[in-house]
Amino acid sequence: MTTPTDATYADQLDATDDLAGFRQAFVNDDPHLIYLDGNSLGRLPRATTDLAADLVRRQWGSRLIRGWNEGWFDLPERIGAKIARLIGADPDEVIVADSTSVNLFKLIIAALRARPGRERIISDDLNFPSDLYIIQGAIDMLGAGHEIALAYSSDGIHGPVETILGLLDQTTALLTLSHVTFKSGFLYDINALTAAAHAVGALTIWDLSHSVGVVPIHLKESGADMAVGCCYKYLNGGPGAPAFLYIRRDLQEQLVNPIAGWMGQRNLFDFDLAYQPAPGLRQFLTGTPPVVSLALIEPGVDLLLAAGIERLRAKSVAQTEYLIELWQQRLAPLGYTLNSPRDPARRGSHISLGHPEGLGIDLALINELGVLPDFRTPDNIRLGIAPLYTSFRDIHTAVERLAQAVTEQRYLKYRDHRPTVT
């Protein structure tokens, strides 16, 4: 059955959406803007604005340093415990700290030191480049005794699962991948690949940045060793929000934080000159947490927990399927290609559409046509579906404007433009 392409059908889908009410929980100052970049920066929850005012005026302004004993000190664990519910972990297995890159660095060094005599680190060419930079830096720091073995995707869309399985052997110390790849949105099977890594004695680190908040994740069930993730995408924690890390409980005392710091000290107010790591996950804290930006993560996480990750996933699949159907009917004839997996079981919550004039189209959408996606080289226009606030009508309107950008050749004036942030 062919999916109707009229706006009325989109409105019918919205009318039966049991998550539609969550849209009102977010600030929307421009009702004409179609925002499809929640996979890069989530919208602002209304509750966050009230919390920000309280943090600045009352907690900082009035309570001053007393705030540390009135909730600030426990923020990394308290918010981490809530994120744990979204990723299938126990409350004491997740903590919020630093950035995704810093957390990944800490875990890579810890993992490699825990697997002496093994030199190989396996990843893929679909991984976020920053993750690969971190691996390279870790190798340098440890004396260049390790090597990266990259598995290459045959089409730039689907993860090279069979190649990864073929690379795993007794020399492998670590397998680290993005759960959902940043360009195509390919979704790896954490359970299967973790089991394969464990079969050869290797550890695993998963980057959950493009899956947490939209894809059900079951870290404890999978046996995954470690994970990291950012809080400013689907968690709606704000630009540059601190990230989180996960370490399976039985590994927490076996791994050592390579960036020892005051907040990870066992009795930090004893001011002992010798470092003694705190028990459990708190040893992976380093410096003083940024209280304001850390606290502002919580309202977005609370909204996701209220909606329920299974319902969010169901809506995400329905919306990405709808978008793909519209692409096939309206956009494929205009030269757009589908650069994401067709199988929803192997796809996250963003869709990449390719076009030879992709960057120009992206800029025309942003500057002229009231749609905010983003662009990733060489030709990917990424359309992020955030089920908490993206409507089916948003998707329909965006597709119509994608068509308009090509039929009216709006991209021509942007051929020589390349903004710093795309």
Side-chain angles (χ1 to χ4, degrees):
M1 177 179 166
T2 302
T3 299
T5 59
D6 59 288
T8 301
Y9 180 68
D11 291 340
Q12 291 172 357
L13 294 174
D14 284 328
T16 60
D17 173 19
D18 63 352
L19 296 178
F22 283 94
R23 186 178 173 94
Q24 304 307 313
F26 293 87
V27 172
N28 186 0
D29 289 337
D30 182 358
H32 301 293
L33 175 69
I34 306 301
Y35 189 65
L36 294 178
D37 209 5
N39 58 311
S40 193
L41 175 64
R43 281 192 178 273
L44 170 64
R46 294 186 184 277
T48 302
T49 60
D50 296 332
L51 176 57
D54 181 71
L55 277 164
V56 173
R57 293 174 184 167
R58 184 186 65 82
Q59 296 185 38
W60 177 15
S62 297
R63 300 307 296 158
L64 294 168
I65 202 167
R66 290 171 290 191
W68 284 107
N69 285 321
E70 295 172 357
W72 294 353
F73 188 79
D74 299 325
L75 280 172
E77 289 120 323
R78 190 178 82 228
I79 298 176
K82 290 186 175 184
I83 294 173
R85 294 164 58 189
L86 295 174
I87 60 177
D90 285 337
D92 60 352
E93 294 180 315
V94 180
I95 200 163
V96 180
D98 302 309
S99 67
T100 309
S101 294
V102 172
N103 286 336
L104 182 61
F105 176 81
K106 290 189 289 190
L107 293 185
I108 288 173
I109 295 288
L112 295 180
R113 287 175 170 168
R115 288 294 182 269
R118 291 173 174 250
E119 70 275 4
R120 179 177 280 188
I121 305 163
I122 296 175
S123 191
D124 71 346
D125 66 329
L126 300 184
N127 206 348
F128 193 61
S130 180
D131 289 23
L132 300 180
Y133 307 157
I134 299 300
I135 297 172
Q136 293 162 23
I139 289 174
D140 286 345
M141 175 166 283
L142 293 178
H146 296 83
E147 64 176 13
I148 304 174
L150 280 186
Y152 289 86
S153 169
S154 61
D155 59 6
I157 296 174
H158 296 83
V161 176
E162 292 304 318
T163 304
I164 291 168
L165 293 174
L167 289 171
L168 286 166
D169 62 21
Q170 299 298 320
T171 69
T172 305
L174 177 65
L175 169 66
T176 180
L177 298 163
S178 289
H179 184 205
V180 168
T181 62
F182 81 105
K183 280 189 181 179
S184 71
F186 176 80
L187 172 64
Y188 274 110
D189 184 336
I190 287 182
N191 290 39
L193 284 171
T194 296
H198 287 175
V200 298
L203 294 169
T204 59
I205 301 175
W206 291 94
D207 187 336
L208 309 178
S209 294
H210 284 88
S211 58
V212 61
V214 284
V215 175
I217 303 167
H218 306 286
L219 291 182
K220 191 173 185 67
E221 174 188 302
S222 73
D225 301 301
M226 292 160 280
V228 296
C230 73
C231 295
Y232 48 77
K233 301 182 190 299
Y234 297 113
L235 298 192
N236 307 298
F244 65 89
L245 64 85
Y246 158 87
I247 302 177
R248 203 177 67 234
R249 184 185 292 125
D250 62 293
L251 279 177
Q252 291 176 15
E253 302 301 329
Q254 300 177 37
L255 301 178
V256 178
N257 181 359
I259 314 178
W262 187 41
M263 281 288 157
Q265 169 72 314
R266 179 178 294 269
N267 298 305
L268 65 165
F269 279 97
D270 285 353
F271 299 108
D272 196 314
L273 299 185
Y275 179 74
Q276 293 293 325
L281 204 52
R282 196 168 182 93
Q283 69 143 310
F284 275 82
L285 295 180
T286 300
T288 304
V291 169
V292 175
S293 56
L294 171 56
L296 296 184
I297 295 169
E298 197 163 15
V301 174
D302 286 342
L303 287 170
L304 291 165
L305 291 173
I309 194 64
E310 297 294 341
R311 290 202 300 164
L312 289 164
R313 175 60 173 169
K315 181 178 175 182
S316 167
V317 169
Q319 291 192 307
T320 54
E321 287 287 278
Y322 176 61
L323 174 52
I324 290 173
E325 288 295 330
L326 292 181
W327 157 76
Q328 193 162 3
Q329 296 183 57
R330 295 283 291 120
L331 300 179
L334 298 175
Y336 287 95
T337 58
L338 179 62
N339 289 358
S340 290
R342 187 63 185 82
D343 179 6
R346 296 271 62 86
R347 187 176 70 230
S349 199
H350 68 268
I351 296 294
S352 284
L353 299 180
H355 196 281
E357 301 288 349
L359 180 56
I361 292 169
D362 177 71
L363 294 175
L365 291 168
I366 294 169
N367 295 322
E368 300 178 27
L369 296 173
V371 179
L372 264 180
D374 65 16
F375 177 80
R376 296 293 180 262
T377 59
D379 65 347
N380 295 282
I381 303 165
R382 292 196 315 175
L383 307 172
I385 305 300
L388 275 180
Y389 53 77
T390 301
S391 68
F392 286 89
R393 173 59 87 95
D394 285 343
I395 295 169
H396 180 273
T397 302
V399 168
E400 292 303 309
R401 293 177 187 176
L402 280 158
Q404 184 182 354
V406 171
T407 57
E408 297 178 1
Q409 297 187 317
R410 298 283 190 108
Y411 55 83
L412 289 176
K413 70 178 73 173
Y414 299 103
R415 278 183 165 168
D416 296 325
H417 290 64
R418 187 172 182 85
T420 301
V421 178
T422 62

